[in-house]
Amino acid sequence: MKIGVFDSGLGGLVITKAFIEKLPEYDYFYYGDSIHLPYGEKTSGQILSYSLAAMRYMISQGCKIIIIACNTATSISLRYIQQRFIPQYAPDIKVLGVVIPTVEVSLQNGIKRVGVVATSATVRSHIYRQELEKINPDIDVVEIAAPELVPAIENNKFELAEEFVKEYSRSFKNVDSLILGCTHYPLIKEYFRKYLPGVYIVSQDELMAEKLQDYLQRHPEIESFLGRNGLREFKVSSFNKHSQKVATNLFTDIAITKA
Ligand code: DGL
């Protein structure tokens, strides 16, 4: 069986790349629901329904463990998936998200003020605030939605993205750490580091692979089912001329196909 990685589009390939580099022995199945991108500007009902359809599809494709790389889908859908959907539909499958591992890393070293930059839906859910406050009720949290960033990155407009980062960074001058709470932001993490020197920038491509490795070591009942055949499948729900280009920029030898 496979390690599944789910995202609303191709942004999750950044984390997948980190998984494959750290844990190359396993088989992987990537699914990007690009037909519905961006999730970040959709209603919670839409996001939940897209996420459930994606889970059904990925389970049908042989995923034993699914990592929801999409922050928006994690924020809105993960709890329902873990508590209601999985127990009824596929009790042997494990689904994990990105929020808790990110929160754990962001709170290291006596940090007192944490910034969160994410999509509108993620900020609206306040999931990061809730999870940060569960660990440290005295923490100060500044959450800002950045709806312009995903379209700028998707359209390869990195200069424009940098302008937005410069602007958003003003709101985070006083934080100790800043969570980049969106799959796409690792691609512009250096802009945040440039405009927020001294702030600890938490980027999911740098933390999730270690968290997954740790999880698999602690859960042989999942790990022992994982195939080791070098399989890498990358599927999207809608294929456009940018899909292959974006993917090839990240991986040299990758074939994206329509699900
Ligand atoms: N994958 C989404 C996230 O991490 C960003 C793109 C979208 O809005 O669909 O929140």
Side-chain angles (χ1 to χ4, degrees), residues 143-164:
E143 296 171 296
I144 306 270
E148 299 89 353
L149 288 179
V150 167
I153 296 166
E154 284 282 318
N155 294 315
N156 222 14
K157 293 186 177 157
F158 282 88
E159 281 176 18
L160 182 64
E162 182 170 0
E163 282 307 306
F164 286 125

Side-chain angles (χ1 to χ4, degrees), residues 153-206:
I153 296 166
E154 284 282 318
N155 294 315
N156 222 14
K157 293 186 177 157
F158 282 88
E159 281 176 18
L160 182 64
E162 182 170 0
E163 282 307 306
F164 286 125
V165 169
K166 191 174 171 187
E167 196 54 38
Y168 286 122
S169 293
R170 293 182 211 282
S171 310
F172 297 119
K173 290 280 184 230
N174 297 321
V175 302
D176 305 311
S177 69
L178 175 65
I179 292 174
L180 305 186
C182 172
T183 45
H184 287 57
Y185 301 169
L187 294 167
I188 52 169
K189 63 186 173 186
E190 294 315 327
Y191 301 154
F192 284 100
R193 288 188 170 134
K194 175 172 164 189
Y195 293 107
L196 292 167
V199 174
Y200 174 42
I201 304 295
V202 183
S203 189
Q204 289 165 339
D205 60 318
E206 295 168 7

Side-chain angles (χ1 to χ4, degrees), residues 101-163:
T102 307
V103 162
E104 285 167 1
V105 169
S106 75
L107 278 179
Q108 284 169 1
N109 307 324
I111 274 164
K112 294 194 173 58
R113 282 177 63 94
V114 180
V116 180
V117 58
T119 64
S120 304
T122 299
V123 167
R124 194 174 66 231
S125 77
H126 296 299
I127 184 130
Y128 275 105
R129 174 184 295 283
Q130 287 162 12
E131 296 298 338
L132 285 160
E133 287 176 353
K134 263 189 215 163
I135 299 179
N136 180 354
D138 299 324
I139 200 84
D140 259 348
V141 184
V142 182
E143 296 171 296
I144 306 270
E148 299 89 353
L149 288 179
V150 167
I153 296 166
E154 284 282 318
N155 294 315
N156 222 14
K157 293 186 177 157
F158 282 88
E159 281 176 18
L160 182 64
E162 182 170 0
E163 282 307 306

Side-chain angles (χ1 to χ4, degrees), residues 6-12 30 33 36-42 47 68-75 98 118-122 128 147 150-151 154 180-185 204:
F6 167 54
D7 185 31
S8 53
L10 291 171
Y30 182 89
D33 186 16
H36 297 122
L37 184 93
Y39 277 23
E41 305 308 311
K42 301 285 192 308
I47 296 163
I68 302 186
C70 178
N71 286 258
T72 305
T74 300
S75 307
V98 279
T119 64
S120 304
T122 299
Y128 275 105
V150 167
E154 284 282 318
L180 305 186
C182 172
T183 45
H184 287 57
Y185 301 169
Q204 289 165 339

Side-chain angles (χ1 to χ4, degrees), residues 2 37 74 84 96 202 237:
K2 304 163 195 167
L37 184 93
T74 300
R84 307 287 290 277
L96 306 173
V202 183
S237 52

